[in-house]
């Protein structure tokens, strides 16, 4: 949810030098609509972040099935079985990845002993996450920004590095976490830069 107070028009020069009236709130609203890919809260983990897992194994062989898990009592009470749940997959580099929330059914595949995992009948609300193919480097972002006709100046500092785009948009990356922040006034440059940064990730 996003609340915006005020609705002032500002003057902006187009490429021909003509000054035009621009509604900043409309720019913000249009950009927000274009960016939304999920109605979930977004979790962005970083390198070395400690996360508690709810499994007791480091790694195991598993077989995923599409039919939701139901108890014996649920199967006896239901009039018809639920529809299979499609797994959402996306491509990152050479890998196919997916964010799953599954239940161990207690069954095993006779061929290789893999345990059978089934989706929940009512999926829990897991936060979405951003995943990238390797580390997102500011030097790579700078190349893309310049290709879009923007001026980007790179500098490194103690604890972070940054890009200053068109003299008013700041892209800062923390050295310890790799977290990237985009700061600046609500303008066309800001949303262009933010879009390029977000395009380095896929949302699961």
């Amino acid at each position: 949810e996003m609340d915006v107070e005020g609705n002032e028009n500002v003057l902006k020069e187009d490429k021909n030098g003509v000054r035009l009236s621009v509604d900043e709130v409309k720019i913000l609203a249009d950009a927000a609509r274009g960016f939304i890919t999920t109605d979930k809260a977004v979790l962005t983990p970083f390198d070395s972040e400690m996360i508690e897992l709810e499994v007791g194994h480091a790694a195991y062989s598993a077989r995923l099935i599409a039919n939701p898990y139901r108890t014996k009592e649920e199967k006896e009470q239901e009039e018809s079985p639920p529809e299979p749940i499609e797994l959402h997959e996306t491509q990152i580099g050479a890998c196919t990845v997916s964010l799953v929330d599954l239940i161990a059914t207690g069954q095993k595949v006779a061929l290789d002993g893999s345990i059978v995992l089934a989706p929940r009948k009512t999926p829990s609300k897991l936060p979405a996450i951003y995943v990238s193919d390797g580390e997102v480097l500011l030097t790579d972002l700078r190349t893309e920004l310049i290709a879009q006709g923007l001026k980007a100046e790179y500098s490194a500092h103690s604890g972070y590095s940054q890009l200053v785009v068109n003299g008013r948009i700041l892209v800062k990356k923390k050295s310890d976490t790799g977290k990237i922040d985009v700061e600046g006034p609500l303008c066309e440059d800001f949303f262009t830069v933010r879009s390029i940064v977000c395009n380095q990730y896929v949302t699961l």
Side-chain angles (χ1 to χ4, degrees):
E1 182 178 344
M2 184 180 298
D3 294 327
V4 181
E5 296 183 0
N7 188 11
E8 296 183 359
N9 290 348
V10 298
L11 294 178
K12 173 187 173 183
E13 290 189 3
D14 65 9
K15 59 183 180 181
N16 296 320
V18 179
R19 304 191 77 188
L20 303 173
S21 178
V22 178
D23 186 341
E24 287 190 326
V25 174
K26 183 178 185 302
I27 293 176
L28 172 62
D30 292 342
R33 293 190 193 98
F35 175 69
I36 293 173
T37 58
T38 175
D39 58 356
K40 298 179 181 179
V42 174
L43 170 67
T44 309
F46 52 83
D47 291 344
S48 302
E49 179 181 4
M50 300 295 292
I51 299 178
E52 183 178 352
L53 301 180
E54 297 180 353
V55 297
H57 302 76
Y60 47 84
S61 177
R63 179 74 60 85
L64 308 185
I65 60 176
N67 295 326
Y69 174 78
R70 295 110 67 212
T71 63
K72 181 179 178 181
E73 291 75 14
E74 289 175 331
K75 291 179 181 178
E76 293 174 349
Q77 295 175 4
E78 63 189 13
E79 298 180 359
S80 59
E83 294 292 327
I85 296 179
E86 183 179 357
L87 186 66
H88 173 67
E89 297 178 334
T90 189
Q91 200 74 20
I92 300 181
C95 301
T96 301
V97 297
S98 180
L99 180 64
V100 297
D101 181 21
L102 306 175
I103 296 176
T105 64
Q107 302 174 339
K108 287 188 176 182
V109 179
L111 182 63
D112 57 9
S114 299
I115 63 173
V116 177
L117 303 178
R120 300 177 187 273
K121 187 175 180 181
T122 303
S124 58
K125 294 185 177 180
L126 291 174
I129 61 173
Y130 284 151
V131 182
S132 64
D133 181 15
E135 183 181 3
V136 178
L137 302 175
L138 291 192
T139 50
D140 293 339
L141 284 175
R142 180 175 181 271
T143 300
E144 291 197 38
L145 291 167
I146 292 175
Q148 295 293 324
L150 301 170
K151 182 180 179 181
E153 299 177 358
Y154 174 83
S155 60
H157 306 269
S158 177
Y160 70 95
S161 56
Q162 68 179 28
L163 292 174
V164 178
V165 184
N166 282 4
R168 56 179 176 172
I169 309 301
L170 181 65
V171 181
K172 183 183 293 186
K173 179 179 179 181
K174 295 183 178 179
S175 302
D176 55 348
T177 65
K179 183 180 179 181
I180 296 178
D181 292 320
V182 181
E183 304 173 2
L186 299 180
C187 59
E188 187 175 348
D189 287 345
F190 173 84
F191 296 114
T192 299
V193 172
R194 189 187 69 168
S195 177
I196 291 174
V197 172
C198 292
N199 284 341
Q200 309 303 310
Y201 303 88
V202 296
T203 307
L204 296 177

